[in-house]
Amino acid sequence: MESSFSFGVILAILASLIIAANALVAMAVLSLIHKNDGVGLCFTLNLAVADTSLGLAISGLVTDQLSSPARPTQKTLCSIRMAFVTSSAAASVLTVMLIAFDRYLAIKQPLRYFRIMNGLMAGACIAGLWLVSYLIGFLPLGVRVFQQTAYKGPCSFFAVFHPRFVLTLSCVGFFPALLLFVFFYCDMLKIASTHSQQIRKTEHAGAPAGAHRPPRTPSDFKAVRTVAVLIGSFTLSWTPFLITSIVQVACQECHLYPVLERYLWLLGVGNSLLNPLIYAYWQKEIRQQFSQMALGMKKGLAAFLLLLSARDGGPQGPRESAHHITTVSHSELNG
């Protein structure tokens, strides 16, 4: 009971931090979208929304961990909760893939990028992404082989979902996507290297530094760094959980569920807290927007305090002024 209570407290703190951090990033990105109308920022906003929904989903599990073991959550309700958790995690991972592909397309085909990736295409990609995410999350509810036969509370991932479900996701989705990430990143590095060589050749030929430069901006190549950190973060966060789940499927006698549920699953969920921190640190535009938001809050707080002080001192000011005017008027009359 004590371990379940402590796990519930950790889960509550993690959920609160995930929601707060991603909400701040979402507000900053919304302000940037309003200013710049960038399509790529819509994917960043969707990542913050997916991670926020994951924080909200795991907050529903806190009550199960803190409640009495004599009153466990029903299996159907637990399955639905874990389906929403899985859907949100899948949406977060798929959005990282979409961001990586968006940056790859912007660098690989810079002239065709704005014709291909318009607002309609971005909206279709995001809608399709959420559809696939919910299909993944609710798949075990329709496929019995992915469900646990016996259910014992409290509600947790492997209390209702069999490790075969994780094995299928790993083989069909995670590891192929990881290989695709590696291909995208290596190709982007190759393009960046060619780009810098062209600039050096142009400068050695005596032309100005900006002449005949390929139609790519430095922000595109800086975004490659951010994407690489995102990919590395989600790989390090989820790979231990997926590999251990595969070992659990292969070794039925191994009882790895406590390690999977208490530590490795929590590590994977923690990736949704790392994503906003990565953007807040590595992305210059978001850092600047945070500074502007903080400055605006500081000015608003100063104006509010000034209004309160003026309201408190207001009634005395007019009385003193009136008294002064009255005194002057009597002195003039006596004179």
Side-chain angles (χ1 to χ4, degrees):
M1 177 63 184
E2 291 183 359
S3 62
S4 180
F5 181 83
S6 60
F7 181 72
V9 171
I10 294 172
L11 208 60
I13 295 173
L14 182 62
S16 302
L17 291 175
I18 288 173
I19 294 170
N22 284 284
L24 285 173
V25 170
M27 288 189 293
V29 174
L30 273 174
S31 301
L32 288 172
I33 291 174
H34 181 70
K35 294 177 183 177
N36 303 329
D37 194 24
V39 175
L41 291 172
C42 295
F43 301 144
T44 306
L45 176 63
N46 191 68
L47 180 62
V49 171
D51 289 330
T52 303
S53 65
L54 179 61
L56 293 171
I58 65 174
S59 64
L61 303 174
V62 174
T63 54
D64 297 307
Q65 299 295 329
L66 300 181
S67 61
S68 172
R71 300 175 59 187
T73 306
Q74 294 181 353
K75 183 180 179 180
T76 303
L77 180 58
C78 180
S79 299
I80 293 174
R81 284 181 175 177
M82 295 313 304
F84 276 109
V85 171
T86 307
S87 299
S88 301
S92 178
V93 173
L94 289 175
T95 305
V96 174
M97 295 182 187
L98 190 57
I99 291 172
F101 178 72
D102 175 70
R103 292 301 86 202
Y104 176 74
L105 187 62
I107 293 174
K108 185 75 173 179
Q109 300 289 340
L111 296 177
R112 297 178 56 193
Y113 172 76
F114 292 102
R115 293 201 304 268
I116 298 173
M117 195 58 69
N118 51 30
L120 182 62
M121 178 62 72
C125 289
I126 292 173
L129 181 147
W130 280 101
L131 178 62
V132 172
S133 299
Y134 278 108
L135 286 175
I136 292 172
F138 284 84
L139 181 64
L141 274 66
V143 181
R144 287 190 172 275
V145 73
F146 293 151
Q147 300 175 10
Q148 292 282 18
T149 54
Y151 170 71
K152 296 179 182 179
C155 181
S156 61
F157 187 86
F158 288 109
V160 288
F161 294 165
H162 197 276
R164 281 191 292 265
F165 174 55
V166 182
L167 174 64
T168 305
L169 287 182
S170 301
C171 296
V172 175
F174 180 80
F175 292 113
L178 191 59
L179 293 175
L180 196 62
F181 277 149
V182 173
F183 169 75
F184 282 164
Y185 188 65
C186 291
D187 202 16
M188 283 189 287
L189 284 179
K190 181 181 177 181
I191 294 171
S193 177
T194 305
H195 177 79
S196 62
Q197 288 176 6
Q198 288 176 348
I199 294 174
R200 284 196 297 269
K201 288 179 180 179
T202 304
E203 291 175 349
H204 286 318
H212 308 293
R213 187 172 290 189
R216 301 184 184 97
T217 61
S219 61
D220 290 330
F221 295 104
K222 290 179 181 178
V224 175
R225 180 185 61 183
T226 306
V227 170
V229 177
L230 283 174
I231 294 170
S233 168
F234 112 88
T235 303
L236 293 175
S237 299
W238 283 108
T239 300
F241 174 77
L242 297 173
I243 292 178
T244 309
S245 300
I246 294 172
V247 173
Q248 179 63 59
V249 175
C251 178
Q252 297 292 335
E253 295 80 11
C254 303
H255 193 65
L256 301 175
Y257 292 116
V259 177
L260 281 166
E261 293 176 343
R262 298 287 175 179
Y263 302 105
L264 301 183
W265 180 78
L266 208 61
L267 177 64
V269 170
N271 181 63
S272 293
L273 178 60
L274 291 177
N275 288 337
L277 298 179
I278 290 169
Y279 268 104
Y281 182 78
W282 290 96
Q283 203 75 358
K284 183 180 178 181
E285 295 85 357
I286 295 180
R287 286 203 311 270
Q288 291 175 344
Q289 187 60 38
F290 276 143
S291 300
Q292 293 177 9
M293 289 169 59
L295 184 62
M297 290 178 63
K298 184 179 178 181
K299 289 182 179 179
L301 182 61
F304 178 71
L305 293 175
L306 186 62
L307 181 63
L308 285 180
S309 62
R311 184 176 296 178
D312 292 339
Q316 295 179 359
R319 283 200 295 268
E320 292 175 358
S321 176
H323 179 72
H324 178 70
I325 293 171
T326 303
T327 304
V328 172
S329 299
H330 281 296
S331 64
E332 289 178 353
L333 288 173
N334 292 333

